[in-house]
Amino acid sequence: MVRRPVAWAVALVLFAEALGIAAVNWFLGVVVDRQDMSLAGLDPHMMSVSSKAGGVVLGLYFALCGLVALLVALRDRAPAGAGKVLLVSAAVVHALLGAFAWGLIGWTAFLFMVVVLGLIVLLLMTYDSRAESGPAGTAPGGGAGGSPLTPPAAPTAP
């Protein structure tokens, strides 16, 4: 099936993105600290600390989303509860970052954000919980009622 490679790819991309975001924000914090210049009267040390803290928080957020995708790949089951909410929020964040990236950075950053967004949505769609179990928890194609994706069983004569 195509489900597991998608989950592994999402986990790998989110872990790499977590490290990248944290490293870039940390680097920007160091640059601001060494410049020792004020921007509209703001304290340079506070801007440096804020950049570093923001990078760490965003990096941990993407790492947690990557962990959810990794658990989906290992278990080969759809994310549930907080995991699903985290992946949906990561998709929304990538959509917003893609929109900002188009205007601020360029089309290559936009393209990266859209690819990651597409991978996350593909992960959520391939592990659709309705396709995994039918009514009352029966497996697809099995059980008395079957699943909504398979035709009902033919009646048998007594």
Side-chain angles (χ1 to χ4, degrees):
M1 293 196 98
V2 75
R3 295 183 335 178
R4 269 202 169 160
V6 169
W8 284 106
V10 170
L12 181 69
V13 167
L14 286 174
F15 284 134
E17 191 174 10
L19 287 174
I21 289 283
V24 165
N25 278 313
W26 194 270
F27 174 74
L28 289 175
V30 169
V31 167
V32 167
D33 201 27
R34 290 187 181 166
Q35 288 285 324
D36 201 32
M37 293 172 42
S38 176
L39 178 69
L42 296 174
D43 181 25
H45 178 69
M46 186 59 67
M47 289 191 308
S48 171
V49 170
S50 298
S51 176
K52 291 175 182 177
V56 168
V57 168
L58 201 56
L60 288 174
Y61 167 72
F62 283 137
L64 185 61
C65 293
L67 180 65
V68 169
L70 182 65
L71 290 174
V72 167
L74 291 174
R75 296 177 181 166
D76 199 23
R77 286 191 325 207
K84 192 173 209 174
V85 170
L86 268 173
L87 288 177
V88 169
S89 71
V92 171
V93 166
H94 279 88
L96 292 172
L97 286 176
F100 288 127
W102 178 271
L104 297 175
I105 300 170
W107 66 271
T108 53
F110 169 76
L111 184 63
F112 174 76
M113 290 296 160
V114 169
V115 166
V116 176
L117 169 67
L119 281 172
I120 294 171
V121 170
L122 185 62
L123 171 72
L124 290 169
M125 296 303 290
T126 54
Y127 281 97
D128 187 14
S129 60
R130 291 177 293 154
E132 289 184 4
S133 64
T138 60
S147 78
L149 302 177
T150 58
T156 58

